[in-house]
Amino acid sequence: MSFKKKFEEKIIAIKRKEFNILIWGPGINSQHYEKRRKLKKELKAHFTNSEIFFSEDDELDEKLISVDESYMFFPQHIKESFQLDACDVCIVLDSSKGVGEEISNALRNPKNAYKLLILTHKDFKNSNSFCTSTRSQFSFQEFYNQEEYDKCNLIK
């Protein structure tokens, strides 16, 4: 079997897998929320057997409350920690202050930090801020430019 054929089979197999995908990013009142929504839509189109949620999705809360009702009383950062434990990958649209807090909280548990795929604007690649230095320890951080962001190339 050729490399191309094997590669095609691998891609098909990956798309058929059942992943639990979490998407962190700016909230509904942010100018970047629409990009996050498009990211979710694009992932659902390619990974049709997967569950894909924002951390604040009511449907995700309902699933977790059905396992343990006390979940509904947890503060958001504790909920996000449980969600990160349960997901296979967490795609992070790193474009707001709140996202930086989510990343910082995730770093408290090194066994889950590897699940983060952080998408950051290239303008922040060489920043000397604390937030940037914490993100820089990830091998799964991708940088995008404004054109890629505007055309949505970062998710295609």
Side-chain angles (χ1 to χ4, degrees):
M1 184 180 306
S2 71
F3 275 101
K4 181 181 179 193
K5 183 69 176 163
K6 283 188 176 186
F7 181 72
E8 288 169 346
E9 286 181 359
K10 293 284 185 191
I11 294 297
I12 290 168
I14 289 169
K15 288 182 176 186
R16 285 185 183 151
K17 282 191 67 94
E18 296 178 10
F19 292 109
N20 293 320
I21 301 172
L22 190 60
I23 302 172
W24 286 350
I28 196 164
N29 295 325
S30 169
Q31 65 182 12
H32 300 284
Y33 182 78
E34 182 61 21
K35 188 64 61 180
R36 187 173 170 217
R37 193 189 62 71
K38 287 180 180 178
L39 175 59
K40 183 177 183 180
K41 181 180 177 183
E42 189 73 22
L43 288 168
K44 283 186 174 196
H46 290 284
F47 298 98
T48 56
N49 295 325
S50 297
E51 290 191 317
I52 303 167
F53 292 107
F54 295 162
S55 57
E56 68 275 12
D57 281 348
D58 289 338
E59 184 182 352
L60 179 58
D61 275 349
E62 290 168 10
K63 286 178 180 287
L64 298 174
I65 289 168
S66 73
V67 173
D68 186 338
E69 288 186 11
S70 64
Y71 176 84
M72 76 174 85
F73 302 109
F74 294 167
Q76 186 62 26
H77 72 281
I78 300 297
K79 287 181 179 182
E80 288 167 354
S81 179
F82 275 92
Q83 295 166 0
L84 191 57
D85 272 344
C87 79
D88 296 304
V89 65
C90 179
I91 299 172
V92 184
L93 185 55
D94 185 13
S95 60
S96 69
K97 179 182 180 287
V99 177
E101 292 169 5
E102 290 170 329
I103 293 168
S104 294
N105 286 331
L107 291 176
R108 293 180 185 166
N109 185 347
K111 79 177 184 86
N112 282 331
Y114 78 93
K115 294 180 179 183
L116 302 179
L117 168 58
I118 303 172
L119 304 173
T120 305
H121 197 286
K122 72 174 186 113
D123 287 351
F124 299 103
K125 189 171 187 173
N126 297 315
S127 172
N128 291 324
S129 72
F130 172 75
C131 292
T132 301
S133 67
T134 60
R135 289 166 181 75
S136 66
Q137 64 186 302
F138 292 98
S139 57
F140 301 115
Q141 184 175 25
E142 292 292 325
F143 293 92
Y144 58 86
N145 62 38
Q146 194 60 45
E147 180 182 2
E148 291 168 324
Y149 184 86
D150 292 340
K151 290 183 177 179
C152 239
N153 290 344
L154 66 151
I155 61 171
K156 291 200 179 214

